[in-house]
Amino acid sequence: MDWRKVWVIARHEYLVNVRRTGFIVMTAIVPVLGILALLFAALFSGEARKLGESVEKMFDPSAGVIGVVDRSGRFSPILPEYQDRFRLYQSEAEAEQAVLDEDVTLALVIGEDYLETGTVVVVSKGSGFGSAAVSDSLSVRKFFVDHLLAGRVEPILQKRAVEPLKVQSRVLSSSGQRQSEGPWSIVFTFIVPYFMAIFLVMTIFVSSGYLLQSVAEEKESRIIEIIVSSVRPVELMTGKIAGLGALGLTQVLVWVLSVASLSGGAVALLAIAGASLIPARVLTLEVVYYVLGFILYATLMAGVGVLGTTTQESQQLAGLFSLFAALPYMVLGFIFANPNVLIARVLSFFPLTAPTMMMIRLPLAEVPWVDVAGSIAALLLSIPGALWLGARLFRVGVLIYGKRPTLKEIWLIVRRGS
Amino acid sequence: MIINVQHLTKRYGDIVAVDDLSFAVEQGELFGLLGPNGAGKTTTIRIAMDILHPDAGEITILGQPPDRAKRYVGYLPEERGLYRNLKVLDTLVYLAELKGMSTTTARGRAKYLLERVHLEEWAHRKVRELSQGMQQRLQFVASFVHDPEVLFLDEPFKGLDPLNVERVKELIAELRQQGKTVVLSSHQMNLVEVLCDRILLINRGRQVLYGPLAEIKRQYAPNTIRVRAPHLPATLPGVANVEHDDGAFNLTLAEGSDPQEVLRGLVALGVEIQSFEVAPVPLEEIFVAAVREEEARYGLA
C-alpha cells in the first residue's frame, strides 16, 4: 500500500465533495431549520402554545373538561379545586349529549356498585382512545383518590395514595460498588454513548452515500480506468473511505454543533456532563468501536456498492449493511430490560452488529470482559477479510458498466479475483 | 526491450479474449497493436495497465510486473472521460499525483503541457466548460502528464476531427523524439500504419502478423499492376492474365515475377505506356489475406 497515494485520493475526495452544492445544502439544512424553528417560536410563541394545547387535547382527552355521572354518591358535590375540570350530570343521557356536543371531551359514569367493583364506564366520541388514556391519567386518579379519602385520612397519606412511589435508582456493579446515582446520571451515562451509536450509523449512511456517488460518477465518466491504471484498487478504496469518512464526520459534526449552539449550549452541556460521568473505560471503548465499526461498514459498502451501475442501484446494494448496523436498535427493548441478555451477547460477537450493539450495551451495565474481548477480536479479524473482499469486488466492480452482475458472477469475481 | 509479453492468455468465461500472445516492444519504438474490434487489443493493454490479471503468461514493462511499473507508464483508454466538475489544471495535477509525482513537479509539468496544447487560458475553468476538441486534447496530455517512459494509446484517433487527428499525430511524433516508447492500438489500420515502426496484427486474441511494417508489406507485395496504354500484346512475359478495365489494363503477375521486369518487358516490346502503377496494398487487405491464410491452415474457414 502506497500511503502517499491514499493521502492524495483522500484529500482529493474531501476537497472536491466539500465544495459540492449538494453537500453544502445538506449540511446547512439542520442549522437553517433550527434557526427557522427558533424564529417561529419567538414570533408566534402565543399561538404555538395554543397549538400545543390543542394537539395535547387531541391525544389526551382527559386533559379537557370531563363529565361525571355519579350514582355512587361519593363524588357529589365535586370538590371546589376540581370544579373547573369536572362537571356533574344528572343522567347518562345528558352526559352523552354533552360528549356529542363536545362540551366535555369525555364522560365518566360511576355506577352504584363502584365501591365494590371499581367499575367506571368511560363515554367518548369517535375512537375508544380516550378510555385508555383515562386509566393512565394522573389527574383522573387524583380526582378519585381525593374524593374517596378527603377528610377521612391525613392529607399526607392522601398524597401518598395518589402517588405511592417515586423511583430513585442506585445501580450496583457486581463488585458491590455504586456505579451511579439518581435517574439523571443514568440518563447522562446512557445518552452520550447512545448518541454515539446513532452518530456512527449516521456517519456511515452519510459517508457511504458520498462514497457510492463518487464511484458511480467515476464509473459513468469512465475516468475510473485511468485511476485504476495509476493506483491499486485497495489504495483507491482506502483513500475514498478515509476522505469521504472525514466528509461524513464533518457533516454530522456541523449538525450536532449547530443543534448544540441553537439550544443555547444545553445539549453540549448535557454531553459534557454526560461524558464526565461516564467511566473512562467505557468512553475509550466507545471510540474503539466507532472507528472499527466505520472501517468495517465502509469497506464492505464500498466493495458491494461499486457493483451497481447507477448510484441508486449501488445504494440499494449497500443498504444491506446499514440494516445490520441498525439491527441492535430493533431489540432495544430487551437490552433495556437486561443489557446482558443472550440476544445482545450473541449480536455482540457478530462483526456486523458488534459495533452498535456494544456501544449501546457498554454504558448500561457492566459488560462481561469476554464480550468486550470477543467483539473486538471479531472486528479485528473480520476487517482484513472485509478489506480483501472489498478490494477484490472493487477491482472488478469499477470496470462493470451497463449491467449489474448476477450473484453467480459476483461469486466468480470473488473466487478468481479478476 | 521495454515491454515483453510472454504467452499471455485471458478468458472471460468461455470466451478467450487473448490467446497465447507473445511479443516485444523495443526502446523508443512506435509499436502498432492492430486488429479489428474485439480482437483482444484493449484486454492486452488493460493487463499491461494492471487493471486485469492474465489467466496465464506474463507481461513485464521495463523489466517489472505491471503493478510495479505504473509510475513509468501512461495510458489513454479507449473510453474517454474526465472529472467534469474539476478544474482543468487540478485534473492534470491530480492524475500526475496519483502516478506518484510530487505536487510541485506535477503543477509545473501540467502548466507546460497546457501551453503546449493551447489550453493555458482554460487552466482554471472547469472541464465541462471546454469544447469537445479541447477536452480531447486535455485527455490526450493527461495520459502523459507524469512524464512516463512508455505510453499506451488505445484508439487515440477515435472520435477526433481531422484537425485534432493531425495535432495528436504531431504530439505522438514529439513524444518519439523525446525517446518515449509508444504502443498504439487501433482498428483503423490505414490511419496508423504510416506512423508505426513495427506492428502486431491480432485477430480473435491470436497473432496474425508480427514484425517491421516494411517487411510485412514486402512479404505481401502486390501481384497486380495497372497499365494505361492504347493497346497491349495478347501475351506478355511474366504475366499470367490481362484484363481490360475502363481504358486501362490490370495485369496479374505470374508466380515469382517482378513488377520491374514486366515494365522492362513492356518497354522492350515498344508498348506506348501512359501510366504504370504497382497497386499499393493497404494493411487492411494484408490483414484479410493473412487471416484467410491462417484460417485455411487451421481448417477454420
Side-chain angles (χ1 to χ4, degrees):
Chain A
M1 189 100 92
D2 183 338
W3 290 103
R4 201 191 111 78
K5 287 184 180 179
V6 172
W7 159 246
V8 167
I9 294 164
R11 191 190 55 190
H12 169 84
E13 293 293 344
Y14 188 89
L15 290 178
V16 165
N17 286 291
V18 88
R19 293 185 211 135
R20 256 180 220 272
T21 326
F23 176 81
I24 294 167
V25 169
M26 276 305 287
T27 308
I29 210 156
V30 168
V32 168
L33 282 180
I35 290 168
L36 283 180
L38 278 185
L39 282 177
F40 186 81
L43 287 173
F44 304 102
S45 56
E47 323 295 311
R49 200 176 305 127
K50 262 188 231 157
L51 187 77
E53 277 168 10
S54 64
V55 168
E56 197 185 339
K57 238 181 238 172
M58 211 153 71
F59 287 99
D60 182 11
S62 62
V65 177
I66 296 172
V68 177
V69 179
D70 177 27
R71 298 232 177 84
S72 68
R74 296 267 164 184
F75 300 88
S76 19
I78 288 176
L79 294 174
E81 65 263 39
Y82 289 104
Q83 276 172 1
D84 53 343
R85 277 209 57 208
F86 292 84
R87 197 175 298 158
L88 265 185
Y89 288 93
Q90 293 312 313
S91 69
E92 266 177 68
E94 263 177 69
E96 280 173 14
Q97 193 55 50
V99 171
L100 284 178
D101 295 344
E102 294 184 6
D103 288 340
V104 295
T105 48
L106 47 86
L108 308 172
V109 181
I110 302 166
E112 281 159 18
D113 58 349
Y114 166 73
L115 266 193
E116 290 78 39
T117 64
T119 310
V120 173
V121 176
V122 179
V123 182
S124 60
K125 194 177 161 184
S127 69
F129 201 62
S131 4
V134 166
S135 55
D136 286 336
S137 164
L138 195 67
S139 59
V140 173
R141 191 186 160 89
K142 201 161 174 288
F143 170 82
F144 274 79
V145 172
D146 285 352
H147 279 86
L148 291 171
L149 299 183
R152 294 166 200 261
V153 298
E154 291 167 57
I156 190 83
L157 268 181
Q158 196 175 320
K159 211 172 155 194
R160 275 291 72 75
V162 173
E163 199 180 357
L165 65 161
K166 279 184 178 168
V167 176
Q168 279 202 320
S169 174
R170 174 174 302 162
V171 182
L172 296 181
S173 70
S174 49
S175 56
Q177 276 177 318
R178 280 186 196 182
Q179 269 192 321
S180 53
E181 271 183 85
W184 272 115
S185 72
I186 288 186
V187 170
F188 275 144
T189 49
F190 178 63
I191 261 179
V192 172
Y194 178 79
F195 278 106
M196 259 179 104
I198 289 190
F199 204 69
L200 171 67
V201 176
M202 261 164 75
T203 331
I204 291 167
F205 272 111
V206 171
S207 306
S208 68
Y210 287 117
L211 185 95
L212 296 175
Q213 193 184 350
S214 129
V215 176
E217 272 180 16
E218 284 180 352
K219 277 174 79 173
E220 263 162 50
S221 72
R222 307 293 156 101
I223 196 168
I224 194 77
E225 207 161 327
I226 300 177
I227 308 285
V228 291
S229 73
S230 307
V231 300
R232 293 167 62 199
V234 68
E235 289 162 354
L236 179 60
M237 195 175 74
T238 313
K240 276 185 187 292
I241 289 172
L244 297 169
L247 189 77
L249 202 64
T250 308
Q251 185 163 66
V252 179
L253 268 176
V254 170
W255 289 348
V256 170
L257 287 179
S258 67
V259 169
S261 57
L262 286 173
S263 64
V267 172
L269 275 177
L270 209 72
I272 292 164
S276 65
L277 285 167
I278 302 170
R281 188 183 77 107
V282 172
L283 209 61
T284 317
L285 283 174
E286 293 277 329
V287 174
V288 168
Y289 284 113
Y290 182 89
V291 173
L292 292 181
F294 182 78
I295 296 174
L296 179 68
Y297 288 122
T299 310
L300 287 172
M301 282 192 170
V304 173
V306 80
L307 295 174
T309 50
T310 62
T311 315
Q312 224 177 358
E313 207 173 78
S314 299
Q315 242 136 19
Q316 283 168 5
L317 286 169
L320 201 73
F321 295 105
S322 325
L323 203 71
F324 278 112
L327 195 65
Y329 286 95
M330 298 174 196
V331 293
L332 212 55
F334 299 107
I335 305 167
F336 276 146
N338 175 9
N340 293 330
V341 70
L342 187 65
I343 182 156
R345 297 194 64 181
V346 170
L347 290 180
S348 300
F349 284 92
F350 182 56
L352 286 176
T353 47
T356 31
M357 191 77 243
M358 287 304 283
M359 285 172 101
I360 296 173
R361 280 178 73 194
L362 277 170
L364 287 176
E366 199 159 308
V367 175
W369 70 268
V370 185
D371 294 20
V372 175
S375 55
I376 291 182
L379 282 168
L380 287 179
L381 284 176
S382 56
I383 284 173
L387 278 170
W388 176 84
L389 183 75
R392 221 149 219 240
L393 289 172
F394 203 84
R395 170 177 206 113
V396 182
V398 290
L399 290 177
I400 295 175
Y401 310 123
K403 177 182 156 290
R404 191 164 86 183
T406 61
L407 270 179
K408 195 180 150 200
E409 284 166 332
I410 294 174
W411 167 242
L412 277 176
I413 288 166
V414 171
R415 230 184 42 191
R416 294 154 30 117
S418 66
Chain B
M1 188 156 43
I2 294 283
I3 303 166
N4 191 14
V5 178
Q6 290 294 324
H7 304 292
L8 199 70
T9 300
K10 175 74 190 173
R11 295 181 202 93
Y12 299 112
D14 297 333
I15 302 159
V16 185
V18 177
D19 190 1
D20 194 28
L21 203 61
S22 300
F23 64 93
V25 180
E26 304 292 337
Q27 160 82 50
E29 198 173 33
L30 209 164
F31 187 83
L33 182 57
L34 310 177
N37 285 323
K41 304 183 297 289
T42 299
T43 300
T44 306
I45 293 178
R46 281 182 173 170
I47 295 171
M49 299 319 300
D50 193 38
I51 296 172
L52 296 173
H53 287 172
D55 292 312
E58 62 165 12
I59 292 188
T60 54
I61 299 169
L62 298 157
Q64 309 251 40
D67 64 325
R68 299 250 187 112
K70 286 182 172 184
R71 169 72 183 83
Y72 311 101
V73 178
Y75 177 35
L76 177 74
E78 183 183 355
E79 299 275 5
R80 307 290 150 75
L82 291 166
Y83 294 105
R84 292 177 48 74
N85 292 319
L86 205 59
K87 287 178 185 157
V88 171
L89 183 65
D90 292 348
T91 304
L92 290 182
V93 172
Y94 179 53
L95 292 177
E97 282 186 291
L98 284 184
K99 285 285 190 180
M101 216 177 210
S102 79
T103 316
T104 336
T105 323
R107 199 159 265 278
R109 174 113 176 125
K111 280 185 179 157
Y112 162 75
L113 286 174
L114 285 177
E115 265 171 49
R116 190 60 201 77
V117 292
H118 312 295
L119 286 175
E120 66 271 29
E121 282 167 26
W122 296 80
H124 298 287
R125 305 286 279 274
K126 288 187 173 171
V127 170
R128 62 157 187 252
E129 295 171 46
L130 266 57
S131 73
Q132 180 102 20
M134 289 172 169
Q135 285 193 24
Q136 285 165 344
R137 261 142 52 202
L138 179 63
Q139 181 104 48
F140 191 76
V141 294
S143 65
F144 55 89
V145 61
H146 58 294
D147 198 19
E149 290 304 313
V150 185
L151 189 57
F152 284 85
L153 306 172
D154 198 355
E155 302 281 359
F157 304 112
K158 189 182 167 187
L160 296 195
D161 59 53
L163 191 65
N164 276 312
V165 167
E166 285 314 307
R167 277 184 175 148
V168 166
K169 277 185 177 172
E170 276 167 30
L171 283 167
I172 293 175
E174 199 174 302
L175 287 165
R176 281 196 69 194
Q177 279 171 5
Q178 295 164 7
K180 309 291 183 195
T181 308
V182 180
V183 176
L184 195 156
S185 129
S186 182
H187 72 282
Q188 298 159 290
M189 300 174 207
N190 298 332
L191 189 61
V192 297
E193 64 177 302
V194 288
L195 296 167
C196 300
D197 303 312
R198 288 195 311 136
I199 60 159
L200 171 69
L201 247 172
I202 59 174
N203 185 42
R204 294 185 191 170
R206 300 168 70 127
Q207 172 183 327
V208 176
L209 290 168
Y210 172 49
L213 191 64
E215 208 168 280
I216 289 172
K217 287 231 158 178
R218 207 172 308 131
Q219 195 184 328
Y220 283 83
N223 61 351
T224 319
I225 299 170
R226 195 171 165 84
V227 178
R228 195 172 280 277
H231 56 83
L232 283 183
T235 52
L236 288 165
V239 175
N241 186 31
V242 178
E243 257 177 53
H244 193 262
D245 171 28
D246 192 22
F249 299 91
N250 287 335
L251 280 57
T252 310
L253 299 189
E255 186 119 0
S257 76
D258 180 69
Q260 296 309 312
E261 272 173 38
V262 175
L263 176 63
R264 279 192 288 273
L266 286 171
V267 173
L269 285 168
V271 175
E272 194 186 319
I273 303 167
Q274 288 160 350
S275 77
F276 178 91
E277 187 181 29
V278 179
V281 184
L283 197 52
E284 231 153 69
E285 276 174 33
I286 296 180
F287 169 75
V288 171
V291 167
R292 288 219 179 108
E293 230 170 72
E294 199 193 48
E295 283 177 351
R297 201 182 313 140
Y298 289 97
L300 291 168

